[in-house]
Amino acid sequence: ILNVEQSPQSLHVQEGDSTNFTCSFPSSNFYALHWYRWETAKSPEALFVMTLNGDEKKKGRISATLNTKEGYSYLYIKGSQPEDSATYLCASPRTYKYIFGTGTRLKVLA
Amino acid sequence: GAGVSQSPRYKVAKRGQDVALRCDPISGHVSLFWYQQALGQGPEFLTYFQNEAQLDKSGLPSDRFFAERPEGSVSTLKIQRTQQEDSAVYLCASSLGQSETQYFGPGTRLLVL
C-alpha cells in the first residue's frame, strides 16, 4: 500500500511571506510526482510533473524540488499573494492510479 | 481549449435515491478516470476507462456504484440507493494516455441526507 503524506495540513501566511510545504512518498518503485493547485470551485490545476532525483521546476513564484532517494518533494511559494490561496495536492502514480496526499490548505492574508 | 467539465456541480440527494454524475473529458483524450474525495481526505481512485472499455473498477466501493463510457467520450458515474457515506466530491480526470498527466474537472459535490 502506497502512502503519500503532506504537511502541514493547513497554514495561514501574510501577503508577501514565502512559504513551503512537504510531500512525502515511498521511495521504492518511484515513477513520478505531480503537484496540483486546487482553488475553491475550480478544477485542480496541474503545476509540475517531477520525475528525476534532484529535479527543480519553477513556474512564476512557485517552485518545487524532488528527492526520490529519501522520498520527498518540497513546494515553495515566494512572496505569497492572496490569489495563491488554494489547496495544494501532490500525487504519486502507481501505473495509471494517482495516489494523493490529503493536501495542504494555504490561506494568504492580505 | 476546453477543459474537463462535470455536471451537476452540486447534488443533494435523499438517502436511497439514485444519482447520475456526468463527465465530459478533453476532446481526444483516450483515458478517463473517476476519483472520490471524502471530507478531509485526498482523492481516491474509483475506476479507469480506455476509450469505451472499463479496464479497472477496483476502487468502486460497492456494487451500488456503476460507471460507463459507451462511446468513448462522455462518462457517467451512477450511484444507486445512495447512503450518507457516499457524500463526497467526485472528480473526473482525462489524459491522452494512461501514463500521461491527468487533467481534472471541477468535481461534483454530492451530499446525501
Side-chain angles (χ1 to χ4, degrees):
Chain A
I1 296 176
L2 174 65
N3 286 325
V4 176
E5 297 180 353
Q6 293 187 245
S7 62
Q9 188 172 16
S10 66
L11 74 163
H12 292 71
V13 301
Q14 293 292 326
E15 182 176 359
D17 287 351
S18 294
T19 188
N20 66 87
F21 21 92
T22 307
C23 173
S24 62
F25 51 87
S27 54
S28 60
N29 299 317
F30 176 81
Y31 176 70
L33 194 286
H34 294 258
W35 280 101
Y36 288 86
R37 174 171 61 197
W38 194 2
E39 296 179 64
T40 303
K42 295 186 178 180
S43 300
E45 173 196 357
L47 288 176
F48 304 113
V49 182
M50 312 189 73
T51 55
L52 298 177
N53 186 45
D55 245 359
E56 285 191 42
K57 296 207 172 179
K58 189 174 181 181
K59 184 177 182 179
R61 294 178 291 97
I62 303 177
S63 60
T65 61
L66 179 68
N67 183 321
T68 61
K69 294 183 178 180
E70 297 184 33
Y72 64 83
S73 176
Y74 292 138
L75 189 80
Y76 300 91
I77 302 177
K78 184 177 179 181
S80 303
Q81 300 296 309
E83 59 264 31
D84 296 328
S85 297
T87 296
Y88 292 82
L89 286 167
C90 67
S92 183
R94 279 298 178 262
T95 63
Y96 44 79
K97 298 181 185 180
Y98 279 20
I99 310 300
F100 283 91
T102 54
T104 292
R105 185 176 299 178
L106 174 66
K107 177 70 174 177
V108 182
L109 305 171
Chain B
V4 178
S5 61
Q6 293 185 244
S7 61
R9 295 292 307 275
Y10 302 92
K11 176 70 178 178
V12 179
K14 292 182 180 178
R15 191 172 58 181
Q17 187 178 352
D18 297 349
V19 298
L21 313 180
R22 177 187 168 107
C23 172
D24 284 82
I26 294 172
S27 178
H29 278 196
V30 167
S31 299
L32 186 144
F33 308 84
W34 284 96
Y35 291 83
Q36 178 192 56
Q37 185 187 29
L39 189 64
Q41 303 296 316
E44 293 189 356
F45 172 83
L46 293 178
T47 187
Y48 160 55
F49 289 86
Q50 183 170 301
N51 295 306
E52 68 279 4
Q54 188 176 21
L55 299 186
D56 187 338
K57 53 182 182 179
S58 63
L60 296 177
S62 76
D63 58 7
R64 296 185 295 103
F65 286 71
F66 172 76
E68 60 183 4
R69 194 186 185 197
E71 297 179 0
S73 56
V74 171
S75 176
T76 304
L77 176 67
K78 297 179 179 178
I79 310 173
Q80 297 177 322
R81 305 181 304 281
T82 52
Q83 303 294 313
Q84 285 185 320
E85 62 263 28
D86 300 335
S87 296
V89 175
Y90 291 85
L91 286 167
C92 174
S94 70
S95 63
L96 284 170
Q98 70 174 40
S99 299
E100 304 294 322
T101 296
Q102 295 179 20
Y103 295 90
F104 286 82
T108 294
R109 186 175 298 274
L110 173 65
L111 177 62
V112 181
L113 301 176

